[in-house]
């Protein structure tokens, strides 16, 4: 698929997303051809720190990029699906049976209480950044986001369109 300038991400979001998606994407985007690239997503989610690094790159990519939700874009995967809304080089799409899931993250704490408190402060601040990202890259309002924050919020393909998470159904 890489020879066809397609990157299939059919895995959980871990640090491997850097090697599996970001590095090939960077290489293709900087090869001087300006040929279109496609990222094909089918992910249950995972670690959002790593996924959001890829989102940062997509926000500024200079060549044509299509993000296609093949089946699912769940948890951190939905951030990838919505990446690049305000970048004219990016098109986001899905299939009729594609779906997404947006929900609050999962976190495990261990260590001293003071470390937990520091981590909680960081998490609150980071969650505000994530919320701002969602609001920038969709049509979800702040009020709606806040009301759904503690829920598992599923989106069928029509809802992905309705909330501006993708641009079209193919």
């Amino acid at each position: 698929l890489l020879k066809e300038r397609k990157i299939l991400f059919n895995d959980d979001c871990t640090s491997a997303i850097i090697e599996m998606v970001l590095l090939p994407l960077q290489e293709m985007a900087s090869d001087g051809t300006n040929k279109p690239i496609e990222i094909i997503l089918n992910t249950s989610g995972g670690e959002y720190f790593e996924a959001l690094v890829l989102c940062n790159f997509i926000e500024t990519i200079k060549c044509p990029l299509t993000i296609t939700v093949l089946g699912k874009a769940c948890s951190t995967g939905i951030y990838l699906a919505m990446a690049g809304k305000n970048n004219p080089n990016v098109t986001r799409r899905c299939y009729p049976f594609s779906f997404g899931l947006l929900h609050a993250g999962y976190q495990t704490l261990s260590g001293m209480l003071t470390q937990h408190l520091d981590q909680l402060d960081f998490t609150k601040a980071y969650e505000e950044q994530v919320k701002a990202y969602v609001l920038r890259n969709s049509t979800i309002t702040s009020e709606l986001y806040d009301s759904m924050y503690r829920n598992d919020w599923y989106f069928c393909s029509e809802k992905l369109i309705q909330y501006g998470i993708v641009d079209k159904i193919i």
Side-chain angles (χ1 to χ4, degrees):
L1 288 175
L2 291 177
K3 290 180 183 178
E4 297 174 28
R5 301 178 68 84
K6 294 181 180 186
I7 302 168
L8 173 63
F9 186 64
N10 186 30
D11 207 343
D12 291 336
C13 296
T14 66
S15 60
I17 200 170
I18 304 301
E19 292 87 20
M20 294 171 64
V21 183
L22 181 59
L23 292 179
L25 180 61
Q26 281 181 321
E27 186 174 322
M28 289 179 206
S30 65
D31 68 3
T33 66
N34 204 39
K35 291 181 181 175
I37 304 167
E38 181 178 12
I39 297 174
I40 304 164
L41 290 178
N42 189 54
T43 180
S44 297
E47 301 170 23
Y48 70 6
F49 297 116
E50 284 77 6
L52 291 171
V53 169
L54 177 56
C55 293
N56 283 334
F57 185 78
I58 291 169
E59 298 285 311
T60 61
I61 196 163
K62 302 286 188 234
C63 67
L65 174 66
T66 299
I67 301 169
T68 303
V69 179
L70 181 63
K72 58 188 171 188
C74 297
S75 194
T76 56
I78 204 160
Y79 304 133
L80 297 171
M82 68 175 62
K85 177 181 188 207
N86 300 301
N87 182 337
N89 299 310
V90 178
T91 301
R92 304 157 319 146
R93 62 190 193 166
C94 69
Y95 287 96
F97 286 109
S98 300
F99 70 96
L101 166 64
L102 181 61
H103 64 168
Y106 177 80
Q107 191 170 33
T108 303
L109 300 175
S110 64
M112 297 173 51
L113 178 59
T114 54
Q115 292 170 325
H116 292 219
L117 295 173
D118 291 342
Q119 190 172 11
L120 180 60
D121 288 342
F122 168 78
T123 300
K124 286 179 181 178
Y126 202 81
E127 282 295 304
E128 284 300 315
Q129 286 184 288
V130 170
K131 175 183 176 181
Y133 172 83
V134 169
L135 299 182
R136 253 189 344 269
N137 287 284
S138 71
T139 59
I140 296 170
T141 64
S142 181
E143 296 78 16
L144 184 57
Y145 184 92
D146 290 345
S147 73
M148 295 302 291
Y149 179 72
R150 293 182 181 243
N151 299 309
D152 282 347
W153 190 5
Y154 286 93
F155 300 83
C156 61
S157 59
E158 291 83 10
K159 295 285 185 188
L160 290 171
I161 293 287
Q162 178 184 342
Y163 289 106
I165 295 166
V166 299
D167 304 313
K168 63 183 173 180
I169 300 172
I170 53 175

